[in-house]
Amino acid sequence: MRKPNYRRSSQARHGLVGMLVIVTMAAAVLIATLSLQRVTRQSQARRNQVKPQMALLLESAVGLAKVRLQANADYQGETWKIPAESGSLDLPAEIVIAVRPHDEQHDLKNIDIQVQLGDQTPRISRESLQLTLSLPSSEQNR
């Protein structure tokens, strides 16, 4: 009479469990990779959608700063808030314009512009621009 070989069935069971663990880990890595790719694609699409609005807001802020400086050489800047409305911006925006004297030349002004698009933390887009503008010739002689 032969004794049953429990050793072989125990090894087979351990091998099966090991294979199951490997397959499960591979599936988890695949799911995580696909999820990360999806999030990356959504983020890229959002950035591509926001880019033209940001460019227009920066351009508008530069134009506003130029007009205000032409009207008043002592213009120091302002904060400009634009609500999200249908037919205009998809997200609310805030533009901060800060004007300060140039360090070396009195006929120049340094302008810092910061644009924030969106008001909820994970989806806020920010851009900033620094430039130097000359005062109109009538203001330079003062």
Side-chain angles (χ1 to χ4, degrees), residues 65-73 99-100 102 105-111 131-140:
K66 285 179 180 180
V67 167
R68 298 272 202 237
L69 276 172
Q70 285 178 349
N72 178 9
V99 180
R100 52 190 167 77
H102 192 272
Q105 294 180 305
H106 70 280
D107 62 332
L108 297 177
K109 294 280 187 173
N110 290 327
I111 300 176
L131 61 135
T132 303
L133 293 177
S134 62
L135 293 171
S137 56
S138 62
E139 297 295 332
Q140 292 176 16

Side-chain angles (χ1 to χ4, degrees), residues 81-93:
K81 293 187 180 195
I82 305 170
E85 296 175 358
S86 61
S88 78
L89 291 177
D90 298 334
L91 299 168

Side-chain angles (χ1 to χ4, degrees), residues 54 58 96 111-116 125-131:
M54 288 295 252
L58 281 169
V96 177
I111 300 176
D112 297 318
I113 299 171
Q114 293 182 348
V115 176
Q116 175 180 303
S125 296
R126 290 186 180 97
E127 287 210 23
S128 57
L129 176 67
Q130 295 178 335
L131 61 135

